[in-house]
């Protein structure tokens, strides 16, 4: 099983660990694309106040987040920590990687893949520094990052997906970087979390419930082989799930998880 996750906008501090080594990251087929984004991002964020203001606008940062520009400028020498410790926020709080038992942590290391505007995609065990660069950013030289990553992802991600289930929990911006196709799409399941009484998606509990779903699967050692098995597994774990199988080959399953309470 491969679980595709979005990153978090907010991130923990890098700490004092050894700096990033791009060659050490998983999915080495993405290295050249990573080098290109990292190089342009650091250059964009390095310079005088006028240049820093340009960087802030390109990155879509508020005035209160101006310090993120300087953080990006220092990425080559910043300390690095496992990505599972860098990413924070609602989904990752609910997932609670640090509190999983040893076996579940090993499952997480094998199965979780976090998409990123800067790195493309990383395992939770990959050591990265804290940064600020969403998939929606359009860098002056490379252009839109979603488009930048599509080519490399097309070559790399099908191999990472292997022959098992792909559970896609990404937001739309990150889903733009890679869309499963063909045979891989047929064993992919996308998930929405809906407030049952209103049938509406509410961002906070959508993220929290996705985190809980992943934690449940990892903690219980459940490894569905395909979307149909995933539906049954989630129901056994106490989730109310509505599933729509694809009408045509080469398309993903669509799962709605219904939640009564917003929390």
């Amino acid at each position: 099983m491969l679980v595709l996750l979005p990153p978090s906008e907010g991130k923990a501090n890098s700490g004092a660990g050894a700096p990033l080594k791009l060659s050490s990251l998983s999915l080495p087929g993405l290295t050249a694309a990573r080098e290109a984004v990292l190089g342009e991002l650091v250059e964009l964020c390095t310079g005088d106040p006028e240049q820093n203001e340009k960087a802030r606008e390109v990155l879509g940062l508020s005035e209160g987040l101006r310090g993120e520009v300087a953080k990006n400028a220092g990425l080559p020498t910043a300390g690095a920590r496992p990505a599972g410790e860098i990413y924070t926020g609602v989904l990752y709080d609910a997932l609670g990687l640090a509190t999983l038992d040893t076996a579940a942590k090993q499952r997480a290391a094998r199965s979780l893949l976090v998409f990123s505007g800067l790195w493309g995609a990383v395992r939770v065990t990959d050591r990265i520094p804290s940064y600020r660069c969403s998939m929606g950013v359009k860098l002056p030289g490379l252009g839109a990052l979603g488009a930048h990553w599509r080519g490399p992802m097309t070559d790399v991600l099908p191999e990472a997906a292997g022959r098992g289930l792909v559970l896609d929990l990404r937001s739309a911006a990150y889903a733009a970087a890679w869309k499963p196709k063909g045979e891989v799409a047929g064993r992919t399941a996308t998930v929405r979390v809906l407030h049952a009484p209103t049938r509406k998606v509410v961002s906070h509990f959508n993220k929290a419930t996705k985190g809980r779903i992943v934690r449940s699967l990892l903690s219980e050692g459940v490894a569905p082989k395909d979307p149909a098995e995933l539906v049954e597994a989630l129901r056994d774990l106490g989730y109310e799930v509505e599933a729509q199988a694809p009408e045509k080959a080469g398309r993903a399953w669509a799962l709605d998880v219904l939640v009564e309470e917003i929390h």
Side-chain angles (χ1 to χ4, degrees):
M1 178 175 65
L2 184 69
V3 182
L4 310 181
L5 297 175
S8 58
E9 288 300 318
K11 299 171 183 70
N13 291 329
S14 295
L20 167 75
K21 288 182 63 176
L22 281 178
S23 61
S24 71
L25 298 181
S26 302
L27 309 180
L30 301 179
T31 300
R34 289 166 175 154
E35 289 175 341
V37 180
L38 179 62
E40 183 168 350
L41 181 64
V42 171
E43 182 179 359
L44 173 69
C45 294
T46 303
D48 58 24
E50 183 177 348
Q51 177 67 19
N52 289 346
E53 182 62 22
K54 176 184 177 182
R56 188 173 70 84
E57 292 175 359
V58 169
L59 296 173
L61 301 176
S62 66
E63 179 66 32
L65 293 174
R66 181 178 293 275
E68 299 294 291
V69 174
K71 178 191 290 184
N72 284 347
L75 283 172
T77 57
R81 296 166 58 187
E85 298 176 13
I86 291 290
Y87 293 117
T88 60
V90 175
L91 187 154
Y92 291 91
D93 286 346
L95 172 53
L97 285 170
T99 61
L100 293 172
D101 64 31
T102 300
K105 287 179 179 177
Q106 292 172 346
R107 296 180 196 111
R110 292 192 301 267
S111 63
L112 304 188
L113 199 61
V114 184
F115 274 62
S116 162
L118 176 52
W119 316 116
V122 292
R123 302 283 186 185
V124 292
T125 51
D126 284 332
R127 296 179 62 84
I128 59 173
S130 183
Y131 67 96
R132 194 76 175 216
C133 185
S134 70
M135 191 66 79
V137 164
K138 185 176 182 179
L139 291 174
L142 292 176
L145 291 178
H148 170 76
W149 285 112
R150 271 182 220 128
M153 292 283 190
T154 298
D155 295 333
V156 172
L157 264 293
E159 180 178 354
R163 297 180 177 275
L165 169 72
V166 178
L167 175 54
D168 190 352
L169 303 179
R170 297 172 296 168
S171 55
Y174 291 90
W178 180 62
K179 182 178 180 180
K181 295 181 178 180
E183 183 269 335
V184 179
R187 48 188 168 85
T188 297
T190 62
V191 175
R192 295 189 307 173
V193 180
L194 303 181
H195 184 216
T198 63
R199 308 290 296 191
K200 292 182 178 179
V201 174
V202 180
S203 179
H204 179 88
F205 85 92
N206 172 56
K207 294 175 182 177
T209 302
K210 286 179 177 179
R212 294 187 190 106
I213 286 172
V214 177
R215 184 179 178 88
S216 296
L217 294 171
L218 295 174
S219 296
E220 297 300 323
V222 179
K225 296 179 181 178
D226 56 42
E229 286 191 13
L230 173 64
V231 173
E232 294 306 311
L234 291 178
R235 287 172 177 164
D236 289 344
L237 290 168
Y239 293 95
E240 183 179 354
V241 182
E242 295 178 352
Q244 182 176 346
E247 296 180 356
K248 297 181 179 179
R251 295 185 180 179
W253 285 57
L255 275 56
D256 287 340
V257 176
L258 305 181
V259 179
E260 290 290 335
E261 298 180 2
I262 300 177
H263 58 90

